[in-house]
Amino acid sequence: MNLAGEPAPDNALGQALSPGLRQEVRCHPHAPDCELWWHWVWSGPTRGSEPELEPLCPLWETELAADRIGRVLALTKESDA
């Protein structure tokens, strides 16, 4: 979660409507060898569906995972950097 992307505490409408800058990541076995990987978690197609997992990278590649997560949560565009 990037707190800089959250609406101001006194902005009631922003607090009600903004999902903020956040993305869930889980460690989960990845096919075909069932090694542990980091996965992005996305909502399923319906409210009652299980979440969908998108592979991010193998568990042991922590620097790569941190870099990718940081890019997703960044406030600046790459062209601004």
Side-chain angles (χ1 to χ4, degrees):
M1 178 164 70
N2 184 337
L3 295 177
E6 299 295 319
D10 61 346
N11 180 345
L13 183 59
Q15 291 286 334
L17 298 177
S18 175
L21 289 174
R22 62 188 72 157
Q23 177 63 50
E24 183 177 354
V25 176
R26 292 184 189 171
C27 183
H28 194 269
H30 180 64
D33 53 13
C34 292
E35 289 188 7
L36 292 177
W37 274 51
W38 294 111
H39 291 78
W40 300 110
V41 180
W42 302 102
S43 300
T46 64
R47 186 173 291 263
S49 298
E50 290 291 320
E52 296 180 2
L53 301 177
E54 177 186 347
L56 172 60
C57 66
L59 176 68
W60 61 87
E61 293 188 26
T62 54
E63 288 184 33
L64 178 60
D67 181 58
R68 289 180 175 172
I69 292 167
R71 287 177 188 268
V72 167
L73 295 177
L75 287 176
T76 59
K77 298 178 204 161
E78 286 189 30
S79 60
D80 295 342

